[in-house]
Amino acid sequence: MSLSEAEIDRYIKRLFPICRSITGNGNRESLKILQELVPLSIKEVPSGSRVYDWVIPDEWNISDAWIAINGNKIVDFKENNLHVVSYSKPVEGYLTWDELRPHLHIHTNLKDAIPYRTSYYENNWGFCVTSAQFQKMKESKGPFEVTIDSTLKPGSLTYGEYVLPGTSSEEVIISTYICHPSMANDNLSGMLMTAFLAGELSRQSNNKLGYRIVWVPETIGAIVYCALNEEDIKRIRYGLVVTCVAGTGKYGYKQSYDASHSINSVIEEIFEKENIDFQTYPFDIHGSDERQYSSQAFRINVASLTKDKYYEYPYYHTSLDDLKFISSRYLKKSLDLHLQVLNKLDKEPVYKNRFPHCEIMLSKYDLYPKVGGHQLPEYNNLSELDLRLWLLWLCDGNTGLYQIARKLDVPQERIELIAQHLCEKKVLDRIR
Ligand code: ZN
């Protein structure tokens, strides 16, 4: 990989200050910058469009906002875009402390932090401030000059998509979210790393599976994407949600909903190969866009490989998740780990039993011992005959061989040899 940390740094610095949300010009601007790294297409879905149980909201844009006392700005959107609750409606006027107070948000534990707050589906407004700013306003008599120069009107929701075909019609989804304003680990690191990852994958000539890579606003954007691409999504075998990949804390991964799926064992295998100490987070209904891709209609196994996972670090969803908190070195390492995981999974053989209706007569294919009693267990109390039977039982054309090896607790190489033998005997077909 020829990517330099300096290049990563340059993109981090350009993208960090942009005010992003679930809609708006900040998202378009960010995606245009990512187009320098990968030829993603920028798609627009009009406000008011119905997508499953949701409706695309009006588009939000903001140019300025502040709170001032006697002409002196105490809180200024131009200093930090986290100061304004995302999707705040326009406001202009003079307020008393009692009127202003319900619209102020502070962080309960971190005094110096500006918390991150949103109000996408409530017609509201607000400011997020440090404890010092809050105290200063509380002690002042006001009145407070409050301005939010925003617009909330019909427009569209913007997302990015890059589809890279493989030699098979099956695909992998890689999804990241672009809706967070100036926070570095969550999720500037993820949206940028995904662009580098797309570039790397596109330079590989031997991908078996295709890649469907999307940069969407979290939740609503993933729902839009599923609704508009329902048939394509059903051809996806597994996926990754890329988020929080460059923080200072621990590596970890959130398991996909089926803990036995190969994606989980391969992530662990790569961590172990790299001697990385990691934390495992079992699947949970909270989290990111795996909630949509793994929903009942799709049930795609989607995991996330993280470096300082969301929810887990103290600076999560605050202004302290800034450029000092992440490192391009960690981002580069996460990129390498993601590539290793995807390339290993791409090579996973998938077999299908040619005879799914009841058991075959093994002796007809010379697969049954002519003399009983000498089948010694090889691994995990399983003899070669047992392994043949398990393979015929499990090879349904969908379950990969790594998953089968993990389930049986037998080395991948051994299972693969037996599967190849069953193919020679024409009872299994290798379908991928
Ligand atoms: Zn977040």
Side-chain angles (χ1 to χ4, degrees):
M1 205 185 305
S2 58
L3 178 63
S4 73
E5 287 169 23
E7 187 180 3
I8 298 173
D9 262 335
R10 275 198 297 279
Y11 278 99
I12 288 175
K13 287 191 180 118
R14 278 171 72 194
L15 288 159
F16 183 76
I18 300 172
C19 185
R20 289 169 287 267
S21 183
I22 54 170
T23 64
N25 291 327
N27 296 11
R28 292 185 188 100
E29 195 187 335
S30 302
L31 290 172
K32 274 190 196 125
I33 292 174
L34 297 182
Q35 277 179 328
E36 297 169 16
L37 301 172
V38 56
L40 60 89
S41 28
I42 298 178
K43 310 263 181 160
E44 303 280 352
V45 187
S47 304
S49 306
R50 293 192 166 273
V51 283
Y52 299 134
D53 201 36
W54 298 64
V55 177
I56 309 277
D58 281 346
E59 181 176 325
W60 184 68
N61 284 293
I62 180 164
S63 49
D64 206 357
W66 67 85
I67 304 173
I69 307 169
N70 298 325
N72 298 317
K73 287 182 184 173
I74 309 290
V75 181
D76 190 349
F77 169 80
K78 289 199 165 149
E79 277 178 13
N80 195 316
N81 58 34
L82 289 171
H83 275 314
V84 175
V85 171
S86 190
Y87 257 71
S88 284
K89 63 183 176 183
V91 178
E92 193 165 19
Y94 286 87
L95 273 68
T96 65
W97 173 248
D98 286 345
E99 289 165 330
L100 177 62
R101 172 67 190 90
H103 295 279
L104 297 179
H105 305 269
I106 51 171
H107 198 284
T108 43
N109 303 324
L110 301 167
K111 280 180 174 315
D112 296 332
I114 306 162
Y116 167 50
R117 295 286 181 273
T118 65
S119 182
Y120 303 137
Y121 303 102
E122 282 287 321
N123 187 22
N124 208 337
W125 63 271
F127 282 88
C128 304
V129 298
T130 64
S131 293
Q133 288 171 319
F134 183 88
Q135 224 30 55
K136 193 168 180 182
M137 289 188 278
K138 191 179 173 186
E139 284 159 15
S140 133
K141 297 211 163 28
F144 301 91
E145 185 195 344
V146 176
T147 298
I148 298 180
D149 187 3
S150 64
T151 56
L152 201 47
K153 53 187 185 193
S156 57
L157 176 150
T158 312
Y159 70 86
E161 180 195 49
Y162 178 63
V163 179
L164 180 66
T167 52
S168 124
S169 64
E170 293 179 306
E171 293 181 344
V172 177
I173 187 149
I174 299 172
S175 180
T176 188
Y177 52 92
I178 56 168
C179 51
H180 285 34
S182 296
M183 284 172 291
N185 196 37
D186 183 20
N187 186 34
L188 173 55
S189 69
M191 60 186 273
L192 179 59
M193 197 215 81
T194 302
F196 287 121
L197 180 64
E200 292 293 334
L201 290 169
S202 73
R203 285 185 282 278
Q204 297 185 160
S205 55
N206 53 350
N207 302 321
K208 261 195 288 184
L209 295 172
Y211 288 97
R212 186 167 286 273
I213 305 174
V214 296
W215 293 257
V216 290
E218 204 171 16
T219 307
I220 184 78
I223 292 170
V224 166
Y225 195 76
C226 289
L228 297 181
N229 300 277
E230 205 176 271
E231 286 312 305
D232 288 327
I233 302 269
K234 288 185 174 169
R235 286 189 290 110
I236 288 172
R237 288 191 57 84
Y238 51 83
L240 289 169
V241 164
V242 182
T243 167
C244 299
V245 292
T248 52
K250 225 176 168 182
Y251 280 103
Y253 84 105
K254 181 186 173 186
Q255 291 185 323
S256 71
Y257 74 88
D258 174 3
S260 75
H261 190 272
S262 307
I263 194 161
N264 303 306
S265 52
V266 169
I267 290 174
E268 289 188 13
E269 192 183 320
I270 299 297
F271 275 142
E272 279 155 15
K273 180 176 148 254
E274 295 275 327
N275 279 322
I276 291 173
D277 184 26
F278 65 96
Q279 180 119 15
T280 303
Y281 303 95
F283 179 79
D284 183 77
I285 45 164
H286 299 286
S288 188
D289 287 329
E290 66 281 359
R291 304 194 320 265
Q292 317 312 332
Y293 305 121
S294 307
S295 64
Q296 283 185 10
F298 304 112
R299 281 290 191 256
I300 303 167
N301 272 282
V302 177
S304 282
L305 193 166
T306 54
K307 175 102 170 60
D308 240 348
K309 184 181 168 288
Y310 55 86
Y311 300 157
E312 304 291 327
Y313 57 101
Y315 293 173
Y316 166 70
H317 277 188
T318 76
S319 56
L320 301 180
D321 181 355
D322 61 10
L323 297 181
K324 293 192 288 295
F325 183 68
I326 62 163
S327 135
S328 51
R329 184 161 57 89
Y330 299 146
L331 190 145
K332 191 175 172 189
K333 183 68 197 170
S334 289
L335 170 61
D336 172 57
L337 295 171
H338 278 76
L339 256 184
Q340 288 195 54
V341 166
L342 292 171
N343 284 337
K344 168 93 197 191
L345 282 165
D346 192 64
K347 292 187 182 68
E348 181 177 36
V350 180
Y351 293 90
K352 191 167 172 18
N353 184 350
R354 283 185 163 202
F355 303 94
H357 299 92
C358 305
E359 285 181 338
I360 55 167
M361 192 178 173
L362 286 174
S363 56
K364 246 171 77 179
Y365 307 90
D366 195 20
L367 289 167
Y368 197 81
K370 291 188 175 67
V371 181
H374 72 297
Q375 282 276 311
L376 298 174
E378 291 187 32
Y379 295 99
N380 199 22
N381 244 352
L382 298 170
S383 67
E384 184 164 350
L385 175 61
D386 296 330
L387 294 175
R388 286 175 192 159
L389 289 168
W390 273 114
L391 277 170
L392 289 165
W393 177 265
L394 291 167
C395 290
D396 53 5
N398 195 39
T399 312
L401 212 66
Y402 301 157
Q403 188 169 344
I404 293 173
R406 192 187 202 201
K407 180 181 165 56
L408 301 177
D409 197 16
V410 171
Q412 286 165 13
E413 303 73 39
R414 181 64 186 133
I415 280 287
E416 193 158 2
L417 276 177
I418 297 176
Q420 283 166 3
H421 182 58
L422 294 177
C423 282
E424 284 158 20
K425 297 288 181 184
K426 304 214 177 335
V427 296
L428 278 190
D429 279 330
R430 180 165 177 173
I431 60 164
R432 189 157 64 73

